[in-house]
Amino acid sequence: GENVEQHPSTLSVQEGDSAVIKCTYSDSASNYFPWYKQELGKGPQLIIDIRSNVGEKKDQRIAVTLNKTAKHFSLHITETQPEDSAVYFCAAIPSGGTSYGKLTFGQGTILTVHP
Amino acid sequence: DSGVTQTPKHLITATGQRVTLRCSPRSGDLSVYWYQQSLDQGLQFLIQYYNGEERAKGNILERFSAQQFPDLHSELNLSSLELGDSALYFCASSGLQGGTQYFGPGTRLLVL
């Protein structure tokens, strides 16, 4: 089955700096890669996603890049703000088979943005 | 607010007991997914239903079962509870199988 590795496990930045979180996946059949933000006491919230036919996607201060050959994808947050502090999860979904629809999550990154 | 609702928000029970967690998907979504989140295992997929039919299964224990009803809401039943079942249980829904999944606020289960 799919295996997703996420780094770093914790990330501390100053307000206004950029933050980068990286993930690698094992199943070459995976074709959908969402990123979720989870605040304390809440459920994961989708912040951006990318499909395998696209190399990069941007939404305001957030961007995601995908390298299918190397099987890795990254989340980039620019001009970080204290409210960006949360746990971020990457995930992957295979395109078919018995695991179709099953999200496999990375271990999570605790991002802290210091004012 | 994702549009996915889960009840109850918190549940405290004893070992050996049985509980039922409920999930209502976003309006129009046919797929419902259940996930377990614990400190040692992270976010783990349990099971998926699409329009009432089971479609995918993860590392779900035999003591756990789920179903999706004709009105598309879903219930996760956990029986013979053990201390290790204490975790957050999330439900997510999507319009299509394999589509973008939106998560509910979760049910925090504590087994004493």
Side-chain angles (χ1 to χ4, degrees):
Chain A
E2 176 64 278
N3 183 49
V4 177
E5 296 288 333
Q6 182 173 345
H7 299 280
S9 56
T10 61
L11 182 56
S12 184
V13 300
Q14 288 297 127
E15 183 176 359
D17 288 350
S18 294
V20 180
I21 302 171
K22 299 183 179 182
C23 289
T24 59
Y25 62 98
S26 61
D27 189 348
S28 56
S30 289
N31 69 345
Y32 174 62
F33 308 91
W35 285 89
Y36 288 87
K37 174 184 180 182
Q38 187 176 21
E39 296 174 318
L40 200 59
K42 296 186 178 180
Q45 175 194 2
L46 180 72
I47 56 172
I48 197 166
D49 56 11
I50 191 167
R51 296 195 180 270
S52 60
N53 57 345
V54 176
E56 184 174 355
K57 184 176 177 181
K58 191 172 180 181
D59 182 5
Q60 299 183 334
R61 297 185 297 107
I62 295 174
V64 58
T65 58
L66 171 64
N67 183 327
K68 277 217 77 179
T69 303
K71 289 192 273 188
H72 67 70
F73 56 113
S74 301
L75 177 71
H76 304 252
I77 306 174
T78 58
E79 301 170 22
T80 54
Q81 302 166 3
E83 49 266 38
D84 293 330
S85 297
V87 182
Y88 290 80
F89 292 95
C90 62
I93 291 185
S95 58
T98 57
S99 295
Y100 188 42
K102 169 190 168 184
L103 273 173
T104 298
F105 284 90
Q107 298 86 341
T109 296
I110 302 172
L111 173 64
T112 304
V113 181
H114 300 281
Chain B
D1 184 1
S2 67
V4 178
T5 60
Q6 288 186 248
T7 56
K9 194 172 172 107
H10 302 279
L11 202 47
I12 303 175
T13 188
T15 54
Q17 294 297 306
R18 172 189 169 96
V19 297
T20 297
L21 313 184
R22 183 188 168 102
C23 167
S24 292
R26 295 188 319 155
S27 178
D29 282 359
L30 299 178
S31 268
V32 169
Y33 311 78
W34 286 97
Y35 292 86
Q36 180 192 58
Q37 185 175 38
S38 61
L39 281 174
D40 55 341
Q41 296 290 325
L43 267 163
Q44 299 275 319
F45 168 78
L46 294 177
I47 197 164
Q48 181 212 353
Y49 281 82
Y50 179 81
N51 203 19
E53 292 186 9
E54 181 185 305
R55 284 296 177 93
K57 230 171 180 176
N59 296 326
I60 187 167
L61 299 171
E62 284 191 12
R63 300 184 286 109
F64 295 2
S65 65
Q67 53 184 327
Q68 185 179 27
F69 294 87
D71 67 351
L72 300 177
H73 91 271
S74 178
E75 292 181 357
L76 179 67
N77 300 295
L78 314 176
S79 61
S80 303
L81 285 167
E82 302 175 359
L83 296 177
D85 297 327
S86 296
L88 275 164
Y89 291 85
F90 289 104
C91 166
S93 75
S94 70
L96 301 171
Q97 188 175 1
T100 301
Q101 294 182 29
Y102 297 90
F103 281 74
T107 293
R108 183 176 294 275
L109 173 67
L110 181 59
V111 182
L112 299 176

